[in-house]
Amino acid sequence: MSEKARILIVDDDESIRKALTAVLEEEGYAVDTAQSGNEAIKKCNENYYNLALIDIRLPDMEGTKLLNAMRQDTPPMVKIIVTGYPSLSNAIEAVNKGADAYLLKPMVMDDVLKTIKEHLDKQRGARKYSEGKVAEFIESRARELEAEANVGNATQ
Amino acid sequence: MPPNQSEVLVESAAAQGKGLEERLSALNFYGGKLNSADNLQQVYELTLSAMEQLLGFEHASFLVKDRDYLKVVCQRGYTEQLSFKLPLDGSKKGITVAAANKGRPLIVDDVTKSPEYVPGSPEVRSELAVPVEIEGRTVGVLNVENRQLGAFDEKDANLLQILASHAATAISNLEKRQEIEKRSSQLTSLMRSSAEMIRSADLRQRLQRIAEAIEELGWRRVVISVRDENLQIARPEDMVTVGLTDEERRYLWDKRPPGHVWAERFGQEFQRFKVGEFYHLRWSDPWVRQKFSNGTVDSHLSADEMVDWDPQDLLYAPLKLAEGRIVGVLSIDDPTDGKRPTRDSLAPLELFIHQAAVAIENAKLIQQLNSARDQIREYAEHLEEKVKERTRDLKESEERSKSILTASPDAITVTDLEGNIVECTEQAWKAYHSPSREDLIGKNAFELIADRDRDRARSDMEKTLNSGLVRSAEYTLLTQDGHEYPAELSASVIRDAMDEPIGFVAVTKDISDRRRMEQQLLKAERLAAIGQVAAMVGHDLRNPLTGIAGAAYYLKIKLGAAMEPRATEMVELIEKDIEYSNKIINDLLDYSREIRLELAEASPKGIVKEALGHVTIPENVDVADKTKSNPKIVVDSEMLVRAFVNIIRNAVDAMPNGGKLTISSKQTDTDLEIAFSDTGLGMSEEVLDRLWTPFFTTKAKGMGLGLSICKRIVEAHAGKILVSSAEGKGTTFTATFPIEPCLSGGEVA
């Protein structure tokens, strides 16, 4: 893949944003950051991100709420909730609200990179599949049009 | 005899030449004799003897008036006994009858020529009859007869008149004497009756005696009836009778007039019939006849016994008390002398009227007295019963109070107004560490209060006296041996029956435990607050830790192999400390978080194995896991693992120089025990005391939350955790769980 995967970090903690940005850029991702839920929503509307790391607690809203508020793209953006309050109910809630994964603070960077990579791979596979589908559709449509044209020519 | 009359007589005798001297002396002689006669027969005989001496005659007789007749009571010179009776109405004539009726002497010179003469002896030619009179009342006739014509003259008549007056005087005297004797015998009988009456205990007997006494006084039938305030007779027994047949009694009872009739009979209308206390209703009175036409009991007197008493006459008297109240009625009938009563004849009866009235009243009083006495006796018995009952109640109440006092877990002390102890419960003397109750009694209560609280206690006592009550005052109390303990005291004033205060009763409660609990609670609250703060802090620390971790990671990947070995080591140090910081944060969060259990069946061995997997066991420590797989327990495995990790970590830490950790499980009844024994340093008493206290630690590292969390987790499973330790030998932690879950403390998610 030639194009860099785009990652949005949503966290109000500056050092987290900076440290994660440094690590992820070093790993070859295109990283953008948002300090609040609203900023995140705004950025999502303007740009496409393959993946978002969302802190569960944001100054203006709960991270789980943000999951629903962000634009639904195709293929869907991978949403990973980051929380400092580890508990099963927390995790279940996050997943129910549409999170693809769940990371605990303090984040162990190896784990973070691994999780991101896994989900991006999955996303790429899904895109390929849908790209294949589109190509197949276009091809079959083209054949149909061609056939129609042939029929038209014949009748003319 | 008047002297002038004598002179006449003397003169006449002298004129006749019949030995006047002799005749006068005979007259005098017999006059004296007659005066001393003992009975009527003597009077008659003496009179006839005198007539013989004075007059000389063939026949002489003494006739006495008997009701409507004249009858011969004594005779001389007749060959046969004269036994005729001459009616005084003259229907059968008779010179004597004429004399009696005329009230003067009658001289008949020739009987054959007299229309009054009743033929008797054939030789009789002349006759003289002189009436015998007492106070103008003719009681008899003296009669002489002679064979010669004109044998009697005026002088004879005069002499005989004098003799007749002598005889009359004698008869009168005898009558009076008889009357006196009768009275005397009545009096005797009265006195005897009175004595008997007094001796008779019961009313009926007494009334019976009275009735009998009245009978003796000359009344054949006597009825005494006891009456109530309405003059009614209550029962047949209240009617005492003498001389009545059973039939008559029944008749009287059946026909008894109602009370108001008797009230009327004693009323105004009947006043005119009063004779003394009695009412004598004469049948001759037309009003009486009309009023009492219903008829009464037939008389018991025969016709010839009646003098002037009418069998229909009524005679009764009220039995009246001095105050005037009528308590009974006396009715009498059939006078034995056949005569109507007079005030005099009834006088002795009046005594009985009063006696009977008093007897009836006394009987009533006695009856009342008796019933009052019975009532009093009954009341006394009742009272005794009451007293017994009351005593029993009191005793019960006392017992109850006593048992309440005894049962009270608090010390109860009773003091006088100065605070001197007069009574106390076992708890009280024990709380003072006294050897006995007697030891505490007599002491002043203020001695039991610590010096610094005494003045306050005194002023509280004053307040109690005013307000009657003091509640929950807290003082430091002393024991006999000087030990202090906090106590709460409530006291109230004891008052006597006059509402005067006489002392105090105080209830004191040792509040050491409560104080301790309060302190613990305070501590727990403080800890909870700390926990909350710690959680907040911990969470907030995670952000910078994430930043640090990210930064360190960047350095590691950016510089990588280019980094100096020392720099690489530093980065690793950063990462390690991040990890350790995170652990501290996790412990803090665990400690402050509510434990929510997620239960599932698990094997003890599995849990222990997982826990062991989380702990790095040094090489010099030997672990023997003897935990069995069964019985399975229903628990939150993740939680238990965390708890066991703490215990195992502690055990490992306790064996810095190596040793052996033995883990075993044992089923007891309904529980499962899991024991962790190390051969480490062991713990001192002091450490054991504070072992479960949060933030207590003997380690250089760590916050001392491990065992607290451990205990919380076990207890959330309704289990318990115990520790035994010997310094230098090792420590054993034993966690016990119910095999079937019965949870308390924690919540189940």
Side-chain angles (χ1 to χ4, degrees), chain B residues 349-362:
Chain B
L349 271 70
E350 288 186 0
L351 180 67
F352 290 126
I353 292 177
H354 299 303
Q355 277 206 346
V358 168
I360 291 168
E361 183 64 5
N362 283 350

Side-chain angles (χ1 to χ4, degrees), chain A residues 13 15-16 19 22-23 26-27 57 84-86 88 105-107 109-110 113, chain B residues 539 542-547 549-551 553-554 557-558 578 582 589 593 598:
Chain A
D13 190 294
S15 54
I16 288 180
V23 171
E26 196 60 32
E27 289 295 318
R57 187 173 282 178
Y85 304 89
L88 193 62
K105 276 185 188 170
M107 288 178 275
M109 285 308 138
D110 286 335
L113 294 174
Chain B
H539 179 252
R542 279 178 170 156
N543 279 338
L545 280 179
T546 301
Y553 190 84
Y554 175 80
I557 55 172
K558 184 75 184 173
I578 289 168
N582 195 36
L589 291 174
R593 193 176 354 162
E598 283 154 19

